[in-house]
Amino acid sequence: MSPTEPRSPVSHRKLGIFGVVALIAAGLIVGTGIRAREEQGSRLKEWTDDQAVPSVAVTLPNAKTLNATLDLPGRLEAYYRAPIFARVSGYLKSWSADIGARVKAGQVIAEIEAPDLDQQLLQARADLASQQASARLSEATLNRRKTLVASNFVSAQEIDERTADLSNKNAAVHSGQANVERLEALAGYKKITAPFEGVVTARDTDVGALINAGGGSGPAMFVVSDITKLRVYVNVPQNYVPAIKIGAKATIALPEYPNRTFQATVEASSQAVDVASGTTRMQLGLDNSSGELMPGGYASVKLNLQRDSAPLSIPASALIFNGSGLRVATVGPDDKVLFKPVTIARDLGREIELASGIAADDRVITAPPDGLSDGDAVRVVGAKSKPATASEKQAPRS
């Protein structure tokens, strides 16, 4: 066909149909793109809103008893301990028992030289002899006067006077005798004896030392202790006192015996709380018949607790302390936050035993994020989380 010949009507129709189809296709492509962009924006908004809800991990309070014992520091003391002071003044003449010596009851462990007391005793005995002589003379005089009454040589008044004089002289004799016995008893204290069988745990005197009578002017001369049985004293916090019964068992650990433990029994309680420390002092009995343990030493005491129910425990990270006090954050059935005030029973490091505040079925947030408030919605993740929705699984696309 020559260039000058006109195009056929069929070709123009084909071109028009092709243009319409292309225009429709372009419209579909544009519409599909717009719709896809809208859907993606909707998903992005839904995902963003969902991410604005904080995710938290929760745990149920542990009702299992973490530790049925209570560890406290204690102090060992001799079951019987007697500081020995002098009853008479003088100078130490000799001593026969040094520290660590085992003594019997009544054994002489030292002797005091008291010349002043000796002279007082000699004077008292001389005074007693003079009083006894005066009493005998008064009695003899009275008896002679009585023989002359019948001859009216003496009057009844004189007899009464002689009788009264004899009574006075006898009273003086009794007083002098009591004074002699008192001084003899004091002289007996020149010998220092052990009050009971035990060990001399202290000696603070030596030969020639000046000894003052009484116990308020210096340290004791000797200390004798019965260490066949020891007392262990511990100060128990007030909230644990009801869980420690008389007769409860305890385990004693000592630094000098790192691989051994000793058994003790709770014997007594002071039944009072010390205002300064908030503790109650308890006494434990510890057998020491072998003599291995030393009074005055430090001991670590592990007491067995007797509880009616197991306490609830939570991770230490769950505690919140602020201006509202000590609280924990829990998640309710509607996945909203509810703060609850709690009271600590024992701090065990990573675990905290609570005395009150939560129930066994409370879902406690293990690590509460900052800014949480009552009623805030949260998403629970981890072992206690709900199944994720489709929007939670799908991340936004760029």
Side-chain angles (χ1 to χ4, degrees):
M1 181 181 295
S2 66
T4 60
E5 291 181 357
R7 294 177 181 268
S8 66
V10 176
S11 297
H12 286 288
R13 242 188 340 264
K14 287 181 180 180
L15 290 174
I17 293 172
F18 178 77
V20 171
V21 171
L23 183 62
I24 293 173
L28 290 175
I29 292 173
V30 172
T32 303
I34 294 173
R35 183 177 178 183
R37 180 65 64 181
E38 291 177 350
E39 290 179 354
Q40 184 178 1
S42 177
R43 288 196 299 269
L44 177 60
K45 183 177 182 301
E46 182 181 353
W47 182 87
T48 303
D49 293 340
D50 186 66
Q51 292 302 310
V53 177
S55 299
V56 296
V58 299
T59 184
L60 294 177
N62 186 3
K64 180 181 178 181
T65 303
L66 297 176
N67 192 357
T69 61
L70 179 64
D71 293 331
L72 293 172
R75 185 66 62 185
L76 301 181
E77 297 291 346
Y79 211 78
Y80 298 106
R81 179 181 180 275
I84 299 176
F85 295 88
R87 288 290 308 276
V88 297
S89 298
Y91 297 91
L92 189 67
K93 181 179 180 181
S94 63
W95 56 267
S96 59
D98 207 348
I99 56 174
R102 294 189 174 273
V103 294
K104 302 289 185 181
Q107 177 181 335
V108 177
I109 59 177
E111 188 173 353
I112 297 173
E113 189 174 24
D116 292 346
L117 177 61
D118 294 339
Q119 293 302 317
Q120 291 176 16
L121 180 56
L122 290 176
Q123 181 181 354
R125 286 172 176 170
D127 291 341
L128 176 61
S130 175
Q131 292 161 355
Q132 289 173 337
S134 296
R136 286 194 298 268
L137 177 59
S138 179
E139 184 179 7
T141 301
L142 175 60
N143 290 336
R144 283 195 297 270
R145 290 294 188 270
K146 285 182 178 179
T147 59
L148 299 176
V149 171
S151 60
N152 293 324
F153 185 78
V154 296
S155 65
Q157 177 68 27
E158 186 177 355
I159 296 299
D160 292 341
E161 290 175 354
R162 292 294 178 182
T163 302
D165 181 68
L166 178 59
S167 297
N168 289 335
K169 297 294 176 55
N170 286 333
V173 169
H174 293 320
S175 175
Q177 183 66 42
N179 189 40
V180 169
E181 292 175 355
R182 178 184 66 84
L183 292 174
E184 287 177 343
L186 284 177
Y189 288 117
K190 292 192 297 182
K191 293 183 177 180
I192 307 298
T193 59
F196 47 77
E197 183 176 354
V199 176
V200 178
T201 55
R203 177 182 65 83
D204 194 13
T205 189
D206 211 337
V207 175
L210 177 63
I211 305 299
N212 294 315
S217 58
M221 297 175 60
F222 298 89
V223 176
V224 177
S225 303
D226 181 4
I227 61 173
T228 56
K229 186 177 181 181
L230 299 179
R231 304 176 194 263
V232 185
Y233 290 103
V234 294
N235 295 322
V236 180
Q238 179 180 351
N239 53 325
Y240 293 109
V241 173
I244 302 175
K245 310 296 183 182
I246 302 300
K249 300 301 180 182
T251 301
I252 309 297
L254 302 169
E256 62 265 38
Y257 298 107
N259 299 321
R260 296 178 58 187
T261 57
F262 303 85
Q263 298 302 310
T265 304
V266 178
E267 292 184 340
S269 168
S270 66
Q271 298 296 317
V273 177
D274 180 69
V275 176
S277 63
T279 59
T280 296
R281 197 177 200 197
M282 289 194 171
Q283 173 186 304
L284 290 74
L286 175 61
D287 180 67
N288 189 37
S289 55
S290 61
E292 296 177 299
L293 310 182
M294 298 179 293
Y298 167 83
S300 177
V301 183
K302 181 175 290 186
L303 293 162
N304 293 328
L305 302 179
Q306 300 178 12
R307 293 174 170 175
D308 297 332
S309 60
L312 298 177
S313 60
I314 61 173
S317 60
L319 289 177
I320 302 173
F321 183 73
N322 51 29
S324 300
L326 191 63
R327 301 182 299 169
V328 296
T330 63
V331 179
D334 54 355
D335 285 350
K336 291 187 177 181
V337 176
L338 175 63
F339 283 90
K340 293 187 176 182
V342 295
T343 304
I344 294 179
R346 280 199 301 172
D347 186 347
L348 301 174
R350 294 184 178 180
E351 296 286 338
I352 301 294
E353 280 188 5
L354 297 181
S356 63
I358 61 174
D361 57 352
D362 283 337
R363 294 191 295 171
V364 178
I365 300 177
T366 57
D370 295 336
L372 276 185
S373 301
D374 275 321
D376 286 353
V378 294
R379 183 173 67 255
V380 177
V381 298
K384 304 295 182 182
S385 64
K386 300 180 295 182
T389 62
S391 60
E392 293 172 348
K393 292 180 181 179
Q394 186 173 3
R397 298 176 181 175
S398 57

